[in-house]
Amino acid sequence: MSSNLPTICITGGEPTGIAPDIILKALQQNFNAHIVVLSSKKVLEERAKALNIKTNIIQHSAEDARSPHKAGEIHLLALEHEHAVIPGKLDKQHSPYVLKTLELAAEGCLTGQFDAIVTPPVHKGVLCETGIHFSGHTEFFQQKCNSEQVVMMLATEGLKVALATTHLPLKDVSSAITKESLTQVIEALNKDLKTRFGHQRPRILVCGLNPHAGEDGHLGMEEIETIIPVLDTLKKQGMDLVGPLPADTLFSPKNLENCDCVLAMYHDQGLPVLKYKGFGNAVNITLGLPIIRTSVDHGTALELAGTGDANEGSLIIAINHAIEMANNAKKFPK
């Protein structure tokens, strides 16, 4: 037992999807951290019965935080949710419960009750049906933490990809990339690669926005007018930045050999490569927050809910990354 163990909070996710399945399956192994699940006891018990998973659900107490997670146990901070959950069938009546788990997780991290949050998938569409605009976990935690700039980063073995913009229509990307916003993104990325991953001087490869990185202005002016001036300024401050590089050749083994992270300009520029390389074995990380948050790299997979076929691999990786980042936060304080 160690009182220095990080406490990791796992939110309940979309109850009609695979979130309960992968929580139950992932926690069938030991972790060198204390794990707390924010969920409905009824939801977990019903899904455990459907999957024939034996688990010992324990009401969480402060004393529990001294002990590492034991396989087959779930330390639960229970939320009441009596509305019937039918695996695979979305229902907006679950949305207030889902949002409450996220709110309590954020509050717990901000007050020091938890050292990190791990989020299984939620369904953006059904959350929005309640009249609350929900564009993603990243933006939700940004608002809850009053953070000016956050960075979405996905990581798998041998590759980290961060995004200069997140969930935007493609037509809005160019106008969203300003000198100010790009500077803030790179500063947040560089800082958290140091403090949460232990890179003393992170080497970041930066994608151009346009084909061939604009080809000297013939295919677009964003590189010349925005990206290059920002990179030049930050290089003078000591950052190790390379680019802007054409995205179609940046992801070659030679380029990635000595790279700590790639910064892509928009969602579908960088993430298809990352997910091709490591889908199911990748983790989504939000940087630039005063708290640590990791997530799975997949969606709710409604068709797999309750079948036993959901793969818990990404959740296990997300938990392990959260533990590593929480430990690094103690070694490399901001």
Side-chain angles (χ1 to χ4, degrees):
M1 290 189 182
S2 170
S3 58
N4 292 322
L5 286 174
T7 297
I8 310 299
C9 169
I10 303 177
T11 56
E14 167 54 50
T16 67
I18 62 170
D21 309 49
I22 60 176
I23 291 171
L24 290 162
K25 293 172 78 172
L27 296 184
Q28 292 298 304
Q29 69 175 58
N30 296 326
F31 290 98
N32 193 29
H34 182 62
I35 309 291
V36 180
V37 178
L38 269 172
S39 179
S40 157
K41 184 177 182 182
K42 180 182 177 184
V43 169
L44 291 177
E45 286 179 337
E46 288 179 351
R47 197 62 56 88
K49 183 178 180 180
L51 299 176
N52 196 27
I53 294 177
K54 293 183 179 180
T55 188
N56 181 22
I57 298 178
I58 303 165
Q59 181 62 33
H60 172 71
S61 70
E63 285 294 309
D64 296 334
R66 297 180 180 179
S67 59
H69 175 76
K70 294 181 182 178
E73 290 185 351
I74 290 182
H75 288 261
L76 184 69
L77 275 177
L79 279 75
E80 293 297 325
H81 185 59
E82 295 302 321
H83 190 72
V85 172
I86 302 174
K89 187 175 181 180
L90 290 171
D91 188 332
K92 67 179 181 181
Q93 293 190 68
H94 301 310
S95 296
Y97 153 77
V98 173
L99 290 170
K100 187 65 175 178
T101 68
L102 299 180
E103 290 170 358
L104 292 177
E107 291 169 8
C109 250
L110 288 170
T111 59
Q113 182 182 8
F114 311 129
D115 295 299
I117 301 168
V118 178
T119 56
V122 297
H123 194 283
K124 298 182 185 70
V126 76
L127 290 174
C128 289
E129 285 182 14
T130 64
I132 299 172
H133 178 66
F134 185 91
S135 58
H137 282 106
T138 301
E139 296 82 0
F140 178 89
F141 288 120
Q142 178 181 14
Q143 182 182 20
K144 288 297 177 184
C145 296
N146 292 315
S147 296
E148 185 176 0
Q149 182 65 60
V150 296
V151 181
M152 180 178 175
M153 182 177 81
L154 269 75
T156 191
E157 183 67 31
L159 180 62
K160 293 183 179 74
V161 176
L163 302 178
T165 60
T166 53
H167 300 108
L168 287 178
L170 193 56
K171 66 180 178 64
D172 296 335
V173 169
S174 177
S175 60
I177 299 174
T178 64
K179 289 181 181 178
E180 181 181 13
S181 71
L182 187 58
T183 298
Q184 290 175 343
V185 165
I186 295 175
E187 287 177 340
L189 176 59
N190 186 71
K191 182 178 181 180
D192 279 7
L193 285 172
K194 289 180 178 179
T195 60
R196 293 183 174 173
F197 292 91
H199 297 298
Q200 187 173 359
R201 187 168 181 254
R203 185 175 181 81
I204 302 170
L205 304 189
V206 181
C207 293
L209 174 65
N210 296 296
H212 301 182
E215 200 154 304
D216 298 323
H218 295 290
L219 296 177
M221 293 296 293
E222 287 87 352
E223 286 77 13
I224 293 172
E225 294 177 349
T226 303
I227 300 174
I228 292 173
V230 168
L231 299 186
D232 286 345
T233 298
L234 295 177
K235 286 176 187 177
K236 291 176 183 177
Q237 297 175 12
M239 294 189 195
D240 188 358
L241 307 172
V242 181
L245 300 174
D248 62 343
T249 55
L250 182 152
F251 291 95
S252 64
K254 183 178 179 180
N255 283 333
L256 297 176
E257 188 174 359
N258 297 309
C259 163
D260 294 309
C261 187
V262 172
L263 178 63
M265 290 296 109
Y266 57 94
H267 189 281
D268 282 12
Q269 183 184 59
L271 296 195
V273 181
L274 185 290
K275 293 193 175 186
Y276 176 78
K277 179 176 173 62
F279 190 75
N281 291 293
V283 57
N284 185 345
I285 302 165
T286 306
L287 304 179
L289 295 172
I291 64 176
I292 294 169
R293 178 258 169 170
T294 68
S295 182
V296 296
D297 70 340
H298 57 75
T300 51
L302 297 170
E303 71 280 3
L304 298 179
T307 67
D309 293 333
N311 188 327
E312 71 276 19
S314 183
L315 182 58
I316 291 171
I317 293 170
I319 294 170
N320 284 328
H321 267 77
I323 295 170
E324 178 187 359
M325 292 172 70
N327 286 329
N328 279 335
K330 298 175 183 179
K331 295 179 187 176
F332 309 104
K334 293 187 177 183

